[in-house]
Amino acid sequence: MIVITQSSINEERIQEIVSHIERAGVQAHVSRGIGRTVIGIIGKAEPALAEHLRQMKGVENVIKISKSYKLASRDFHPDDTIIDIKGVKIGGSNLVIMGGPCAVETPEQIDEIARLVKAAGGQVLRGGAFKPRTGPYSFQGVGVEGLEMMADAGRRHGLLTITEVMTPEYVDICAEHADILQVGTRNMQNFDLLRKLGTIRTPVLLKRGFSSTYDEFLNAAEYILAGGNPNVMLCERGIRTFETYTRNTLDLSAIPVLQGLSHLPVISDPSHGTGRRELVEPMAKASVAAGANGLIIEMHTDPDNSMTGDGVQSLFPDQFARLLKDLEKLAPIVGKNFDTSKAEAEQFAVWQK
Ligand code: PEP
Ligand code: MN
């Protein structure tokens, strides 16, 4: 159930409504939007509560949300969520580009790739220090040292950083080093991990499970939001279908569908979504045309010798730079802001702090 307030409501009245809800033994989540405030009621409320709330001063309407997820739903939060990380805004009309290797390998490797991501106009450096590998004998990532290498490279080149966290125990250390935490496709329903991510405020990029429905995906996001962390972005990274030519099938319709159902930013991953280098560029452009708020793209200076199998889907640095130039032309046509020259000047002072 949600309470929609009148636009003229003051803070005191909002607090009265919240107290009334809490006295009924359920939780209230206040979301202040442009023009109106929405108060979400979490928990099983007595039917009489809706009637009481309707009578209260400042209340415009009380609506029952039948979806199992509530905080993630657009009914609860009609405006787009915009996550501001050190001045980089993710969501709304901003296009954010995250680029980098599948895995952090050495300080030199991640530093050089960071330089190239920045020079091309990207805002976020990606790289896994802990890798979720299908086989136990495959390279599992360089671990905590990788977090340090990436944080150094990000700081040096004025980029935000994103890295994958796989277990609740590693959330704090990953959050100490990275600006955004990635939950991989295999962990979308690792509920202990999601609950732990709800207890911090570090933004989370939640990847869609490769066999998950939109409903399951949004319920996974709801775990993080319900814990109190409002900074969640959704990532479409391809789903498993009967087709084997591509590694996954990038579900482009997920982008407008999720943006309709939810207020959270939607990021597309054309690298894992296709598994083939030659398809990354067209699918990146198609994602932006479909309304994606950002892209996460694998790029490597020596893809053939990358330490994970993802070299085959990694762009070469010149391809990455060309793609970003093309996106700069495409972005305004679809109502997005993206300026490759802005990245150079952007927020250096903030990062150096
Ligand atoms: C990755 O980003 O390198 C990764 C392992 O992604 P996914 O969880 O989508 O497979
Ligand atoms: Mn990868």
Side-chain angles (χ1 to χ4, degrees), residues 101-103 126-128 130-133 164 182-187 205 207-208 210 235-238 247-248 269 272-273 296 298 308 310 313:
C102 183
R126 64 145 289 150
F130 300 95
K131 295 305 302 175
R133 305 305 303 279
E164 176 160 356
Q182 172 177 325
V183 175
T185 191
R186 297 158 186 82
N187 270 320
L205 178 135
K207 286 193 161 196
R208 179 182 182 187
F210 52 68
C235 177
E236 164 59 37
R237 51 76 69 202
R247 180 176 176 185
N248 292 287
D269 176 349
H272 296 85
I296 181 162
E298 289 190 341
T308 65
D310 289 1
Q313 67 193 31

Side-chain angles (χ1 to χ4, degrees), residues 112-161:
E112 177 60 1
I113 295 177
R115 187 183 70 75
L116 292 160
V117 169
K118 185 74 186 184
Q123 301 104 318
V124 185
L125 176 65
R126 64 145 289 150
F130 300 95
K131 295 305 302 175
R133 305 305 303 279
T134 301
Y137 311 120
S138 306
F139 170 65
Q140 305 283 313
V142 292
V144 175
E145 278 176 39
L147 297 177
E148 288 161 5
M149 292 175 204
M150 209 163 106
D152 283 348
R155 216 173 292 121
R156 208 169 297 124
H157 296 282
L159 290 167
L160 298 176
T161 56

